[in-house]
Amino acid sequence: MAKYIFVTGGVISSLGKGITSASIGRILESRGLKVTLMKCDPYINVDPGTMNPYQHGEVYVTDDGAETDLDLGHYERFTSAKLTKFNNVTTGIIYNAVISRERRGDYLGKTIQVIPHITNEIKDRIKKVKDVSGADIVIVEIGGTVGDIESLPFLEAARQFSHDMGKENVLYVHVTLVPYIKCAEEIKTKPTQHSVGTLREIGIQPDILVCRTEKPLTTELKEKISLFCNVQKEAVIEAMDVQSIYQIPMVFKKQILDEIILSHFKLICKFSDLEKWQAKVVERVLNPKGKIRIAFVGKYIALQDAYKSVYESLTHAGIYNDAEVEIKKVDSEDIQKFGSEKFLNDVSGVLVPGGFGYRGIEGKISAIRFARENNIPFLGLCLGMQCAVIEFARNACGLKGANSTEFKPKAKNPVISLLQEQYKVKDLGGTMRLGAYPCRIKNNSLAAKVYGKLLTFERHRHRYEFNNRYRKLLEKKGLVFSGVYPKKGLVEIVELKNHPFFVAAQFHPEFKSKPDNPHPLFRGFISAVLDLQRGPSKAK
């Protein structure tokens, strides 16, 4: 029988439940167990796909095209779990499913209630994740903070799991805050006591407490938390702030969190010390040999989570190349107002990520032109690729009015436009080109060199495409179309010859990058920056 771990959070939001869940997954995988993870989001949206990045942060996309919470990115980066649409569920999905069945008459005239109908639907979804994945351990993160009205049905379903599956098959981890009050010079346990008290009122007694804290927890403090929260002392896990999130599995390992979990489940597994993770990831991220600065030209840079996977992918490429990647965040609207030179003169590379809408687009286009004309390594992602095409069409091909029909529906030269089938789309949610598609790579191209193969599968999240009517003209002027979706001839990768590194992809490579296995495009981009920095004589 599969084992279930429920991860909840208390006191305040943004304590790191997602990182906690992913790190638990990592240490359990290292013990030989097959793990999968699931996020339960309490908002009523069906998915985050139509939500503003400032509201929700990044929308993470799985191979099967599900638009999901960004925590699924943490799950895939830390573990080998292959996640699908079943690994993220929202209040909107749950109620939509139950109401649809009620309208069909599936409940035979019964009154539909939160208990048991909504909670049963939640439990069925969690069991479905286990069935689809075949995992030994299912880690379920419940979004929000204990005490929120919105998350109560999910917490009740989590409580029922212990009753349905047996206490020996279910474990509850509660992430909480133990704040340090500077003026009193004291660490306070009361918020944790209240948070656990609220959880108990719901009917859940946590087995493990993960305590976020600025200061180390003394033996006395751990004993106090243990006594007042009815948790074993060794199960009070200290989680201080660290330099890199990739240290967290080691932090948990040192406090024998894996042994505590295995003991609860009465599981005997192989020994593991995470040596490879420590050597290949942690040591390199903490002690890099080199350092480079990359300009990150975006429109949502005010919110750290809006580009979470891209930031992490740059870190992964830095780990691989043994260099610290310093990210200089540049608002594309600032470039639009004051010009590229003011912001890009002190960087070694330029990255332009994805996004939607016309705001800041001209700034992105200007940044790309600056990188192209000054031989600065450049990587464009999704909208960044479309902006690269627009820039090249305008300034290298002389196509006046070159634009995307997303920004200018009646553009004189619509080098980026909708496919015919997209004109019929009315609903905005879930109707883009989503999920993994094959990309055939052109032989002897830079993309082929970076990937080391001629076929790859990459994840997409976009509606507009390169307009193939302009392909011959742009090729004649020097733009190389090095990656294509074979079935429809859609352009996936463009690049330039005689440039240190100028590559732009229509897809989102950041969704397939890991700290111990960086994506080839990010790896190649950072490698090119370092080679240029070293000079011709020292380049690899």
Side-chain angles (χ1 to χ4, degrees), residues 11-12 15 176-182 185-193 211-215 217 221 225:
V11 186
I12 58 173
L15 280 179
T176 182
L177 179 68
V178 183
Y180 172 70
I181 308 302
K182 191 174 181 180
E185 295 185 343
E186 286 184 321
I187 295 174
K188 294 295 185 181
T189 65
K190 192 64 73 177
T192 292
Q193 294 176 42
C211 301
R212 291 299 309 276
T213 174
E214 293 180 47
K215 303 283 185 178
L217 297 180
L221 280 170
I225 292 170

Side-chain angles (χ1 to χ4, degrees), residues 139-337:
I139 302 171
V140 184
E141 178 192 347
I142 299 177
T145 305
V146 170
D148 295 345
I149 293 173
E150 292 91 343
S151 59
L152 283 174
F154 290 105
L155 291 168
E156 171 59 19
R159 183 198 68 79
Q160 291 179 20
F161 248 86
S162 183
H163 174 269
D164 298 348
M165 312 299 289
K167 291 183 179 180
E168 69 278 8
N169 296 312
V170 179
L171 180 140
Y172 300 103
V173 177
H174 190 55
V175 184
T176 182
L177 179 68
V178 183
Y180 172 70
I181 308 302
K182 191 174 181 180
C183 61
E185 295 185 343
E186 286 184 321
I187 295 174
K188 294 295 185 181
T189 65
K190 192 64 73 177
T192 292
Q193 294 176 42
H194 282 303
S195 181
V196 172
T198 303
L199 199 57
R200 281 167 158 179
E201 289 174 7
I202 297 167
I204 296 174
Q205 167 61 53
D207 301 290
I208 295 168
L209 293 179
V210 174
C211 301
R212 291 299 309 276
T213 174
E214 293 180 47
K215 303 283 185 178
L217 297 180
T218 63
T219 300
E220 290 76 19
L221 280 170
K222 284 191 174 185
E223 288 174 346
K224 183 178 181 180
I225 292 170
S226 170
L227 177 64
F228 282 92
C229 297
N230 197 29
V231 174
Q232 293 296 314
K233 180 185 169 184
E234 62 270 18
V236 178
I237 305 298
E238 178 186 284
M240 289 181 63
D241 293 343
V242 288
Q243 188 175 331
S244 168
I245 57 173
Y246 301 117
Q247 294 174 259
I248 301 297
M250 304 304 300
V251 170
F252 287 170
K253 178 72 178 176
K254 287 176 182 176
Q255 297 178 74
I256 64 168
L257 180 55
D258 52 340
E259 293 292 350
I260 295 168
I261 293 170
L262 295 177
S263 175
H264 176 90
F265 288 138
K266 296 180 173 60
L267 293 173
I268 299 174
C269 299
K270 70 174 187 178
F271 175 76
S272 170
D273 56 10
L274 289 174
E275 274 188 7
K276 286 184 179 180
W277 183 267
Q278 177 70 24
K280 196 174 181 181
V281 177
V282 177
E283 289 297 332
R284 283 195 164 200
V285 80
L286 295 182
N287 303 296
K289 291 181 179 177
K291 184 175 181 178
I292 54 174
R293 175 183 278 191
I294 301 296
F296 192 102
V297 184
K299 55 195 291 184
Y300 312 119
I301 59 169
L303 181 68
Q304 172 71 14
D305 284 346
Y307 299 111
K308 190 65 178 176
S309 290
V310 189
Y311 294 148
E312 292 305 314
S313 297
L314 287 169
T315 299
H316 303 163
I319 292 170
Y320 178 87
N321 286 285
D322 210 358
E324 178 188 348
V325 179
E326 179 188 344
I327 299 173
K328 179 182 180 181
K329 298 176 184 178
V330 182
D331 193 318
S332 57
E333 287 188 284
D334 288 340
I335 289 182
Q336 205 164 308
K337 293 174 185 174

Side-chain angles (χ1 to χ4, degrees), residues 54-111:
Y54 285 122
Q55 283 278 315
H56 183 269
E58 172 187 84
V59 175
Y60 189 79
V61 179
T62 57
D63 273 348
D64 63 349
E67 295 176 284
T68 72
D69 184 80
L70 62 83
D71 278 321
L72 271 74
H74 293 311
Y75 304 163
E76 286 202 332
R77 286 189 284 272
F78 276 72
T79 73
S80 59
K82 303 296 183 184
L83 306 184
T84 69
K85 61 184 178 182
F86 299 110
N87 293 83
N88 193 191
V89 69
T90 68
T91 295
I93 288 175
I94 297 298
Y95 274 85
N96 187 52
V98 171
I99 290 170
S100 294
R101 282 203 291 274
E102 185 274 331
R103 290 291 82 190
R104 290 197 303 266
D106 292 359
Y107 293 110
L108 302 176
K110 292 179 181 177
T111 301

Side-chain angles (χ1 to χ4, degrees), residues 227-506:
L227 177 64
F228 282 92
C229 297
N230 197 29
V231 174
Q232 293 296 314
K233 180 185 169 184
E234 62 270 18
V236 178
I237 305 298
E238 178 186 284
M240 289 181 63
D241 293 343
V242 288
Q243 188 175 331
S244 168
I245 57 173
Y246 301 117
Q247 294 174 259
I248 301 297
M250 304 304 300
V251 170
F252 287 170
K253 178 72 178 176
K254 287 176 182 176
Q255 297 178 74
I256 64 168
L257 180 55
D258 52 340
E259 293 292 350
I260 295 168
I261 293 170
L262 295 177
S263 175
H264 176 90
F265 288 138
K266 296 180 173 60
L267 293 173
I268 299 174
C269 299
K270 70 174 187 178
F271 175 76
S272 170
D273 56 10
L274 289 174
E275 274 188 7
K276 286 184 179 180
W277 183 267
Q278 177 70 24
K280 196 174 181 181
V281 177
V282 177
E283 289 297 332
R284 283 195 164 200
V285 80
L286 295 182
N287 303 296
K289 291 181 179 177
K291 184 175 181 178
I292 54 174
R293 175 183 278 191
I294 301 296
F296 192 102
V297 184
K299 55 195 291 184
Y300 312 119
I301 59 169
L303 181 68
Q304 172 71 14
D305 284 346
Y307 299 111
K308 190 65 178 176
S309 290
V310 189
Y311 294 148
E312 292 305 314
S313 297
L314 287 169
T315 299
H316 303 163
I319 292 170
Y320 178 87
N321 286 285
D322 210 358
E324 178 188 348
V325 179
E326 179 188 344
I327 299 173
K328 179 182 180 181
K329 298 176 184 178
V330 182
D331 193 318
S332 57
E333 287 188 284
D334 288 340
I335 289 182
Q336 205 164 308
K337 293 174 185 174
F338 306 110
S340 297
E341 193 168 349
K342 178 180 174 66
F343 300 97
L344 305 182
N345 256 342
D346 61 344
V347 301
S348 301
V350 174
L351 186 148
V352 176
F356 296 90
Y358 188 58
R359 181 176 64 82
I361 290 300
E362 294 301 327
K364 291 189 175 190
I365 292 170
S366 295
I368 294 168
R369 182 177 187 178
F370 187 86
R372 180 175 64 83
E373 294 181 343
N374 291 280
N375 287 323
I376 299 172
F378 164 75
L379 179 61
L381 311 176
C382 196
L383 180 61
M385 176 269 206
Q386 296 178 0
C387 289
V389 168
I390 294 169
E391 188 281 320
F392 191 83
R394 288 180 185 177
N395 302 310
C397 303
L399 288 177
K400 293 183 179 181
N403 216 320
S404 167
T405 55
E406 178 185 4
F407 315 133
K408 195 170 183 180
K410 295 183 179 179
K412 184 178 180 181
N413 284 296
V415 290
I416 305 294
S417 63
L418 285 176
L419 293 178
Q420 194 63 39
E421 56 262 34
Q422 282 289 339
Y423 282 102
K424 303 172 186 177
V425 171
K426 293 182 179 179
D427 293 339
L428 293 180
T431 55
M432 291 182 277
R433 185 148 75 101
L434 293 164
Y437 287 80
C439 173
R440 179 71 64 184
I441 299 173
K442 187 176 182 179
N443 200 9
N444 297 320
S445 64
L446 178 56
K449 180 183 177 183
V450 168
Y451 273 98
K453 58 184 179 181
L454 299 181
L455 181 66
T456 184
F457 290 80
E458 299 286 359
R459 299 179 189 178
H460 296 68
R461 184 176 181 254
H462 65 97
R463 198 180 303 278
Y464 292 79
E465 305 279 355
F466 173 75
N467 188 342
N468 277 320
R469 285 167 44 201
Y470 293 88
R471 185 164 172 175
K472 286 185 179 179
L473 174 60
L474 271 61
E475 277 182 323
K476 187 177 179 181
K477 293 293 185 178
L479 192 65
V480 178
F481 296 90
S482 55
V484 174
Y485 170 36
K487 187 176 180 180
K488 292 193 175 183
L490 301 177
V491 172
E492 299 281 36
I493 306 174
V494 299
E495 61 183 65
L496 286 177
K497 292 181 179 179
N498 304 317
H499 192 284
F501 189 97
F502 191 102
V503 178
Q506 181 60 81

Side-chain angles (χ1 to χ4, degrees), residues 513-525:
S513 185
K514 294 174 180 282
D516 50 356
N517 186 23
H519 190 281
L521 289 182
F522 285 94
R523 189 181 66 213
F525 173 53

